[in-house]
Amino acid sequence: SMKEETAAYRNLTTLEKEEVTEKQLIGPGKMAKFINDLAMFCVPRTTKSMEENTNQIIEDEKNKEKCTIVVQDPLSMLKDYDPNTTRFACKICRTILFSECDLEDPPHSKSQHSFSYRKTKHGANRSTNQCQSVFLAMGMDWMLGVNDAAEGKIVCPKCCAKLGLFKWHGTQCSCGSWVTPAIQIHNSRVDVVPPENQRLQQDHSAMLMSPLARLHIAGQSSI
């Protein structure tokens, strides 16, 4: 035991102590040899483990950089549209969302199909079924998730008001036609902004109209 070796070492002469210490048989020499052997066994493993951990951390950081998805602000993805085109704005916050150039082209034909019971159960007249939505040709950049999911809601990028929905497998318009793919905006959720040149012409015509003519038109409208 360690205690017996220490007692035996103390009973040795000075010359014997020098000899056993040099040969590392008992006493301080043996302890120094044990520590040295232990270090030679553990340190390489520890160094290797540290290197592996460091390499793993570096690899994880690289993978993290590759997998990082930069989420842009939807407002920054809105386009600047020509003011002389018909545009559509959110009814709540008045943000211009898209224009007539983004609508489906050609537009779907209005009809009444019999495969949808909810469209015909009350004896709906084909001539009175009007489109209550507009359909876009493709998803807009500000529509979150439109390119990542099969279907979902479309909300305003500014006020988050619900505007419509998208279904890549299609949906039925209120007129009865099946539209595929369907990027549907409800008319009740947007305002139509007329072209600036058309609005200026209307304002100019109103200014040129005589007061008597305006009174006459107002009187006819009240009848």
Side-chain angles (χ1 to χ4, degrees), residues 86-89 97-100 102-104 107-108 110 130-137 143 154 163-165 171 173-174 179 181-192:
T86 301
R87 294 156 293 163
F88 296 81
L97 301 171
F98 56 94
S99 75
E100 57 185 348
D102 299 313
L103 299 179
E104 56 177 346
H108 66 275
K110 299 177 178 62
Q130 300 296 324
C131 295
Q132 298 177 5
S133 304
V134 292
F135 290 84
L136 276 60
M143 295 179 180
I154 298 175
L163 303 173
L165 53 86
T171 190
C173 178
S174 58
V179 183
I183 303 174
Q184 183 181 27
I185 304 295
H186 302 303
N187 291 337
S188 60
R189 303 302 177 92
V190 292
D191 287 329
V192 179

Side-chain angles (χ1 to χ4, degrees), residues 31-46:
M31 182 58 67
K33 184 176 182 301
F34 171 75
I35 294 174
N36 182 69
D37 293 342
L38 183 63
M40 293 295 290
F41 177 78
C42 295
V43 170
R45 290 194 172 190
T46 304

